[in-house]
Amino acid sequence: MNKQQQPAAEHSSWVVYKRLLVYVKPYWFAFVISFLAFALYGASQALSAKWLEHVIDAIEQGALEKRTLLALAVLGIFLMRGVGTFVGSYAISHVGREVVHSLRTELFDRMLTLPSDYYQHSSSGEMLAKLTYNVDQVTGAVTNAVKTVLREGLTVIGLFGYLFYLNWKLTLIFIAAAPFIAVVVTVASKRMRKLSRRLQQSVGDITSAASETIKGYQIVRIFGGTEFERSRFHAASDRNRRQFMKMVVTQSLNTPAVQFLIAMALAGLLYIAMHPSVMGVMSTGAFVAYLTAAGLITKPLRALSNLSTVIQKGIAASESVFSVIDEAPEQDNGHYSVQRASGELSFDKVGFRYRDDSEMVLHDLDLHVPRGKTVALVGRSGGGKSTLASLLPRFNAGWSGRIELDGIPLEEYRLDNLRQQIALVNQHVVLFNGSIADNIAYGVMADCSDEQVRAAAEAAHVMEFVDRLPEGLQTEVGEGGLLLSGGQRQRIAIARAILKDAPILILDEATSALDTESERHIQEALEQVMDGRTTLVIAHRLSTIEKADLIVVLEQGRIVEQGGHQELLEQGGAYAALYRMQFADA
Ligand SMILES: Nc1ncnc2c1ncn2[C@@H]1O[C@H](COP(=O)(O)OP(=O)(O)OP(=O)(O)O)[C@@H](O)[C@H]1O
Ligand SMILES: [Mg+2]
């Protein structure tokens, strides 16, 4: 888990914001609509000050016959305001949710193409938090912020226009407060961005702690991890609370500070306005309207000054989202593709390590597997068997030497084409939320017929236990397949691989969870399946690989022996020793 996700270089807010606005562009029409609607709202504000001027002047001049018109005007002004608010808010929220949707899906689409290296080095909780929480934080910057800019900005422009029109000299006093407000706003928004990042981090910690505890609930309970997980979760949640409160303090201090500066400007304004020389030139109506408009302007000004804190929150969120979107996807520079490979594999002086600074996991590996043959990889745990298998679908890249399929280097294949040629049963079976049938006919096999699915299930001895389930193949297994035993899950994974009918089959400890009898049954089924396709079997239980065409013993990343079962036994080397040990156990 990488703790503090600091961006490599501090991007300027404007660069990030501009990039965010690109997502807004397709919705320009809704944007224009909301602009017009908020302009209507702003105009209604200015009109209400104008209205007051007319009321007072009418009273002063005793022009009481204007009252019908003035009363109707109130309704008109509020109608304008209501329509403006509704249409404006709706249109801008539409834009905001669309942006969140595109960002979120783009983020997920990127996650689908990230190299396995990325998955191995980031916590799932953090990734989940980005998809759910961080993305949502962006809305503030594109909806609320834009809404504020439009609605309050236009209101301010309307009111300022009116103030200038009434008395421009007086209005200049307001402007004098602007630099002070700017300082307060800058300080607050810097702090806001920092706090937002920490807040996002804490949400990631919360999701991590929660998802690990949920997945590993049995281990947590049996090893007395309850206290540990509790305190970890409480600490993360508490950190979240503290960061949030710090944000509240920043935002809440920002508002009164700005308000006070505005009040100072207003005070100065009133003081000067009530000077006899000024009073003389304005009608009472105009004077009251002036002060009213000046008072009305404080609310939108305050909202505008809060804006940058909202934007900073959105920027911190978009930064974290963009950092994933900008990750390089899996390398896929190959152009070669083949309908169905014949399955001849060859490894030539292959070496591999996971990271540039870590030790070699595979050394100088030479191996040739003719098409349709079965190779068994055996050897001690950590010897590099799974690693070797993971190179074939190019889950790990950057090996040295050559790996070829049908005489063509693996990296020349198009990635999706290469993976079409491979069926895989993992060491760790993964089942998806859905029925057993959905899990067998997963992905590209989704449109296989029921008969095909059933045949694969038969071959993998899935039907043995499915027939006892009331809903048969349609039984829901739930995420993680908790309803099933380890061996049952393995059988589903095998059925999936059988259904795929690919020229290359990789079985990484595919039958390790089965009892000896089931294993023997499945072994027979697998032998039929292996017939005609190149198979890589990894197994600790040597009884399952005796019939392999070639047995390869891997130790610490090196091939120490290879040959047939009988041949290796007679050699009396590493394989014979392993075999004797297991035989003695039995
Ligand atoms: N994602 C990874 N990042 C870094 N090192 C890894 C990674 N996966 C495995 N290794 C290292 O590579 C070595 C070989 O691991 P590998 O999983 O290939 O062994 P294995 O032969 O399949 O073992 P087992 O029989 O226990 O499954 C181990 O030393 C392990 O620490
Ligand atoms: Mg392994």
Side-chain angles (χ1 to χ4, degrees):
M1 200 191 325
N2 51 352
K3 269 274 149 222
Q4 201 72 33
Q5 37 157 138
Q6 283 297 353
E10 177 95 352
H11 298 292
S12 94
S13 306
W14 180 232
V15 172
V16 182
Y17 200 62
K18 248 189 351 203
R19 181 160 173 198
L20 192 56
L21 288 182
V22 173
Y23 288 81
V24 179
K25 221 167 152 193
Y27 310 103
W28 64 270
F29 187 68
F31 218 88
V32 170
I33 296 285
S34 74
F35 178 83
L36 293 177
F38 286 130
L40 201 64
Y41 174 90
S44 79
Q45 294 281 80
L47 273 179
S48 64
K50 182 78 186 160
W51 173 83
L52 194 65
E53 182 186 341
H54 281 292
V55 172
I56 293 173
D57 286 347
I59 295 170
E60 283 219 313
Q61 296 154 9
L64 298 181
E65 72 286 354
K66 284 191 181 165
R67 68 181 199 276
T68 321
L69 198 66
L70 286 171
L72 285 178
V74 175
L75 295 182
I77 288 172
F78 273 84
L79 191 66
M80 264 173 86
R81 193 170 153 161
V83 170
T85 307
F86 173 76
V87 175
S89 303
Y90 181 87
I92 202 70
S93 300
H94 168 77
V95 175
R97 294 327 293 184
E98 289 287 352
V99 169
V100 167
H101 174 69
S102 2
L103 259 185
R104 184 175 276 152
T105 47
E106 190 178 339
L107 180 60
F108 187 74
D109 291 351
R110 172 53 79 227
M111 284 179 179
L112 285 176
T113 64
L114 287 175
S116 31
D117 187 56
Y118 186 89
Y119 286 88
Q120 286 157 6
H121 294 98
S122 29
S123 81
S124 64
E126 207 175 297
M127 289 165 86
L128 288 178
K130 282 189 196 223
L131 277 172
T132 53
Y133 178 78
N134 295 15
V135 166
D136 233 37
Q137 293 301 298
V138 170
T139 0
V142 290
T143 56
N144 293 348
V146 175
K147 187 160 110 187
T148 311
V149 167
L150 291 183
R151 197 172 77 175
E152 314 300 346
L154 290 172
T155 309
V156 166
I157 290 173
L159 288 173
F160 253 120
Y162 183 62
L163 288 176
F164 263 101
Y165 153 78
L166 281 178
N167 192 332
W168 66 269
K169 280 186 201 149
L170 215 48
T171 308
L172 286 180
I173 296 176
F174 249 132
I175 313 248
F180 298 101
I181 296 179
V183 171
V184 173
V185 167
T186 313
V187 172
S189 54
K190 277 226 175 90
R191 183 161 168 77
M192 205 62 182
R193 186 160 175 194
K194 193 173 77 187
L195 292 174
S196 290
R197 277 200 202 117
R198 290 203 204 137
L199 188 67
Q200 286 168 21
Q201 187 64 46
S202 70
V203 173
D205 291 346
I206 288 178
T207 9
S208 289
S211 72
E212 283 166 26
T213 306
I214 292 165
K215 273 188 226 141
Y217 75 98
Q218 289 182 337
I219 304 298
V220 170
R221 310 254 169 111
I222 206 90
F223 287 98
T226 330
E227 234 359 272
F228 173 73
E229 296 298 343
R230 192 203 308 277
S231 59
R232 180 158 82 115
F233 189 84
H234 283 217
S237 181
D238 192 52
R239 209 170 323 123
N240 180 269
R241 178 190 62 79
R242 277 203 313 271
Q243 298 307 328
F244 196 88
M245 284 318 291
K246 282 186 187 169
M247 262 168 61
V248 169
V249 168
T250 309
Q251 207 153 13
S252 314
L253 272 181
N254 182 46
T255 309
V258 169
Q259 212 163 12
F260 189 72
L261 289 171
I262 297 173
M264 274 168 58
L266 260 183
L269 197 77
L270 185 78
Y271 184 76
I272 297 168
M274 286 182 74
H275 194 272
S277 65
V278 181
M279 287 290 282
V281 294
M282 288 169 96
S283 72
T284 313
F287 184 74
V288 174
Y290 187 91
L291 286 185
T292 309
L296 276 180
I297 215 170
T298 56
K299 187 180 151 263
L301 268 188
R302 205 174 60 209
L304 282 176
S305 73
N306 236 329
L307 193 70
S308 86
T309 56
V310 177
I311 291 185
Q312 289 304 334
K313 234 196 302 192
I315 287 182
S318 353
E319 234 173 16
S320 91
V321 172
F322 288 147
S323 77
V324 180
I325 290 179
D326 291 341
E327 284 282 333
E330 277 182 304
Q331 286 270 340
D332 187 11
N333 301 330
H335 295 293
Y336 187 77
S337 67
V338 56
Q339 248 311 312
R340 189 179 172 89
S342 73
E344 182 187 355
L345 288 172
S346 76
F347 294 78
D348 186 15
K349 297 223 174 326
V350 172
F352 178 75
R353 60 175 155 206
Y354 279 94
R355 314 219 92 189
D356 289 342
D357 52 358
S358 60
E359 278 189 33
M360 297 296 283
V361 175
L362 299 174
H363 307 261
D364 242 4
L365 231 107
D366 288 316
L367 181 63
H368 181 247
V369 191
R371 51 177 294 208
K373 297 291 179 191
T374 299
V375 187
L377 297 176
V378 300
R380 297 247 284 281
S381 190
K385 305 181 292 294
S386 298
T387 304
L388 180 60
S390 77
L391 299 184
L392 288 180
R394 279 169 46 197
F395 287 145
N396 288 304
W399 60 81
S400 59
R402 277 168 85 83
I403 307 178
E404 290 175 350
L405 168 60
D406 294 351
I408 293 155
L410 282 190
E411 54 275 24
E412 286 182 18
Y413 284 85
R414 285 199 357 240
L415 204 52
D416 56 350
N417 185 256
L418 176 67
R419 289 177 183 170
Q420 269 165 28
Q421 315 301 324
I422 300 172
L424 166 74
V425 179
N426 251 344
Q427 202 164 2
H428 312 282
V429 174
V430 176
L431 295 183
F432 298 91
N433 215 353
S435 68
I436 293 176
D438 294 339
N439 268 288
I440 295 175
Y442 179 76
V444 290
M445 287 106 69
D447 33 290
C448 284
S449 71
D450 287 352
E451 288 72 45
Q452 287 172 304
V453 174
R454 187 164 274 272
E458 292 280 1
H461 294 249
V462 169
M463 293 318 286
E464 249 170 51
F465 65 91
V466 160
D467 279 337
R468 289 199 303 270
L469 299 170
E471 289 175 69
L473 280 172
Q474 297 310 320
T475 309
E476 296 286 319
V477 286
E479 194 183 349
L482 290 181
L483 307 181
L484 301 173
S485 76
Q488 290 170 335
R489 283 155 57 175
Q490 273 192 337
R491 287 188 246 179
I492 292 177
I494 291 171
R496 191 191 285 160
I498 291 176
L499 185 61
K500 183 163 178 189
D501 183 31
I504 299 174
L505 181 61
I506 301 175
L507 302 170
D508 192 349
E509 295 287 351
T511 54
S512 61
L514 295 172
D515 60 283
T516 323
E517 194 190 330
S518 309
E519 187 170 43
R520 191 161 306 142
H521 285 310
I522 292 190
Q523 201 62 41
E524 283 163 19
L526 280 176
E527 269 157 29
Q528 285 173 15
V529 178
M530 288 172 188
D531 193 36
R533 58 191 97 219
T534 310
T535 312
L536 213 62
V537 195
I538 299 174
H540 284 295
R541 229 183 281 173
L542 300 183
S543 55
T544 58
I545 52 130
E546 280 173 18
K547 291 195 196 141
D549 300 298
L550 182 69
I551 296 171
V552 173
V553 185
L554 262 184
E555 248 165 45
Q556 294 179 358
R558 288 177 209 278
I559 295 181
V560 291
E561 265 180 6
Q562 53 179 307
H565 172 69
Q566 210 50 46
E567 182 188 346
L568 290 180
L569 277 189
E570 281 160 17
Q571 271 181 22
Y575 181 76
L578 277 174
Y579 192 82
R580 267 200 310 278
M581 251 187 296
Q582 282 195 7
F583 199 67
D585 282 350

